[in-house]
Amino acid sequence: MSAHFGSRLRKGAVNTTVAALAVAALAASQAPDVTADGAGRRTAADAPSADTGSATGADESATGNSPYYTDLPPLNTPLPAPSQSTGTGPVAAGDTEAGIPATVLDAYKKAAAALAGTKPGCNLPWQLLAAIGKVESGHARGGNVDADGRTRSAILGPVLDGNGFADINDTDNGAFDGDTAHDRAVGPMQFIPSTWEWAGRDGNGDGLKDPNNVYDAALAAGHYLCRYSWDMSTDAGLRSAILSYNNSTDYYNTVVSWLEYYRKGTHEVPDGTGTLPGNRSDENSGSGTPGSRPPSPGTTPPGTTPPGTTPPSTPPATPPPTTPPATTPPATTPTDSVHHLEDAGTAKLTAMAGDVFGDRIGTRAETKAGTAVAKVRVRFTIVGDTDATFTGGESVAAVITDSRGIATAPALRAGEKTGAFTVRATVVGRTVAAVSYSATVTARAADALTRTGSAALTCVAGGEFADQVGVKATYKGAVADRVAATATLVKSADDPTANDKGPYFKDAAGNPVRTLTNLSTDADGLLTLPKLYADDTAGTFLLRVTTEGGATLTVELTVTAAPSPTPTPSDTPSGTPSESTSPSPSDSTTTGS
């Protein structure tokens, strides 16, 4: 990148200019944050003309701002895939460049499909992953991967030791990059180990998170780009995401050029046959090993003769030894001066499942003398059996300390798992004792229940109640959604045990039950109980509904006796006069004379 690696090869500079012009031409017909079509196509009309930074800062990029390939796509539009049946005939440059190795292409598409399900608002096109994969590693060096997506040889960026690149001390003990002194970008998507630690994903379901596996790396790149809920279908969202990956406008223009090119058409080619890029932003042209560093300007590599000179026939006299110049020790960085971390007044961390924690974690970086240290990266990591996340859905967040030396973590959001977990704060690039914060997620709760209907609940013995009981749950006046509830037909107001007579519910087999568990309110805090039935016992009965959190509602149910049947003539015993028959004269009492 021009901002970090000095001047580029003339060819690279020309390519960058062409990229900027191409992007500007594509953007001329669009307003910022407006898509060109339903597929979410967009351009870079609002891209800055200089490296002005990103939402997270250069030191928080996925790659550590490592070098990248500057080759640009052909100007001609890709044609349909060349015939593979004959294998003959000329192939246009655009057709060749549009080919993506089969396994790598599959990884890009599967990662985008996964993000469409988990983060649909990101609108991540697989072509963006392909564009970044092309620029970062030439699609894993032309698809040099095995059937499982693992690279057949290591793809490493340069040593990030501050000599022409960022200065990032080792964070993985060499586990990924083989370097125990400094970090290096690793794999097809060129993640630095400190970023992979939290951004890594298992994209192929083998139980591993491997930056050298194109399925894992592509899925991790997708999550990284979408981590702040940026919308890739808008100019602002796309720009922020790409610059967060590698903080360079030249990089942004190059990626967008490939994005637009792949959107016009691409096709699958066999693994290992992809086109290899040749020009890199660190001035290393050709197909040399990524990460090698060219000679400094104005110097001649060992064993060569400067152009235009003739080798001397007699070696020159050996100059007298000189005293080597005094070396200046490297300047101490803010990170080097951190002695310890302190809690910056974080309150008790408690939240109900599904809610945002009301308090945020603050950590202060200090010197040994207790002085605040600004501009230090503090990493917050969620640890434990929990599905709680930071804003954006990630379990790790890195924040730079402010002028007071305080890093404030993003807001925590509780998941559905209840219980305690830990958030651990550490300094990125320096080993000091971590500060741990305990957080607790409690079950969803309600503190009030009300009936949603007002009709009297009555039924004749042996029948069924016409109305079902509906309730609404609230917590501190707000809707209490997905709160666990229990409904019981109790014996009395003072005896909460289940009754053995009176109204009842039915289970799946149609048998009477008088207690229902595993009930839950819906997204609006509403719960409608199943239909109630009555046995042959008349009287007044109580239905009690309780929820997590202590809310209780008691509902009165009335069961009336069934009316006595009216007798009919056929019901009168033979020889017995009917009650409605008038007595005959012979039935009257007679007095003798």
Side-chain angles (χ1 to χ4, degrees), residues 237-568:
L238 186 67
R239 176 183 176 276
S240 295
I242 294 175
L243 286 178
S244 78
Y245 208 89
N246 196 320
N247 186 29
S248 162
T249 302
D250 289 345
Y251 178 86
Y252 170 83
N253 289 335
T254 306
V255 168
V256 170
S257 296
W258 282 105
L259 167 62
E260 297 298 338
Y261 181 75
Y262 286 139
R263 274 177 163 158
K264 294 173 183 175
T266 187
H267 59 274
E268 176 184 300
V269 299
D271 289 343
T273 66
T275 302
L276 293 174
N279 301 295
R280 290 179 63 85
S281 60
D282 56 351
E283 302 183 326
N284 185 31
S285 63
S287 56
T289 303
S292 60
R293 192 170 296 159
S296 301
T299 64
T300 303
T304 62
T305 302
T309 62
T310 302
S313 57
T314 303
T318 303
T322 59
T323 302
T327 58
T328 302
T332 300
T333 66
T335 300
D336 295 332
S337 65
V338 176
H339 177 266
H340 60 273
L341 295 175
E342 293 283 349
D343 174 29
T346 304
K348 184 178 181 180
L349 298 169
T350 303
M352 193 182 297
D355 288 350
V356 175
F357 282 75
D359 297 294
R360 294 169 64 177
I361 296 172
T363 303
R364 176 181 163 96
E366 298 182 351
T367 65
K368 187 175 183 178
T371 303
V373 184
K375 298 182 179 180
V376 173
R377 279 196 303 163
V378 175
R379 178 180 294 120
F380 298 95
T381 306
I382 298 174
V383 181
D385 183 18
T386 181
D387 54 355
T389 63
F390 292 113
T391 301
E394 303 296 343
S395 60
V396 176
V399 180
I400 298 176
T401 57
D402 59 19
S403 59
R404 301 168 299 162
I406 297 176
T408 302
L412 273 171
R413 177 177 290 277
E416 294 304 317
K417 288 185 178 180
T418 60
F421 65 93
T422 300
V423 178
R424 185 172 299 149
T426 57
V427 177
V428 177
R430 184 168 176 79
T431 303
V432 299
V435 176
S436 295
Y437 300 85
S438 180
T440 303
V441 177
T442 60
R444 294 173 180 265
D447 56 14
L449 285 173
T450 56
R451 269 194 70 192
T452 56
S454 59
L457 298 169
T458 62
C459 177
V460 175
E464 62 183 51
F465 287 82
D467 297 313
Q468 292 176 247
V469 178
V471 299
K472 181 175 183 178
T474 56
Y475 184 79
K476 295 182 178 179
V479 166
D481 61 317
R482 289 184 284 174
V483 176
T486 300
T488 305
L489 291 148
V490 298
K491 289 185 175 180
S492 69
D494 299 323
D495 187 351
T497 58
N499 211 333
D500 55 2
K501 58 184 177 181
Y504 59 90
F505 300 106
K506 287 183 180 181
D507 62 14
N511 299 315
V513 292
R514 291 186 170 87
T515 298
L516 296 178
T517 58
N518 298 322
L519 301 174
S520 178
T521 61
D522 64 14
D524 296 318
L526 300 176
L527 170 63
T528 300
L529 299 180
K531 185 180 288 292
L532 279 162
Y533 302 86
D535 62 12
D536 57 1
T537 308
T540 300
F541 302 90
L542 299 179
L543 168 66
R544 181 163 294 167
V545 183
T546 59
T547 67
E548 188 75 36
T552 301
L553 174 67
T554 301
V555 180
E556 187 175 278
L557 308 173
T558 301
V559 178
T560 59
S564 301
T566 302
T568 63

Side-chain angles (χ1 to χ4, degrees), residues 158-238:
V159 177
L160 299 177
D161 58 2
N163 185 13
F165 307 108
D167 186 4
I168 303 179
N169 293 331
D170 174 62
T171 60
D172 67 332
N173 199 29
F176 292 123
D177 55 15
D179 193 325
T180 58
H182 294 86
D183 273 350
R184 303 176 70 176
V186 181
M189 304 304 275
Q190 289 290 277
F191 277 96
I192 54 174
S194 59
T195 301
W196 184 261
E197 178 185 347
W198 61 267
R201 293 292 191 279
D202 177 12
N204 61 352
D206 63 358
L208 302 175
K209 297 178 182 179
D210 182 2
N212 296 297
N213 185 289
V214 69
Y215 286 99
D216 296 357
L219 184 59
H223 276 278
Y224 185 90
L225 294 167
C226 294
R227 69 196 185 283
Y228 289 121
S229 300
W230 286 320
D231 185 351
M232 301 299 107
S233 67
T234 68
D235 288 330
L238 186 67

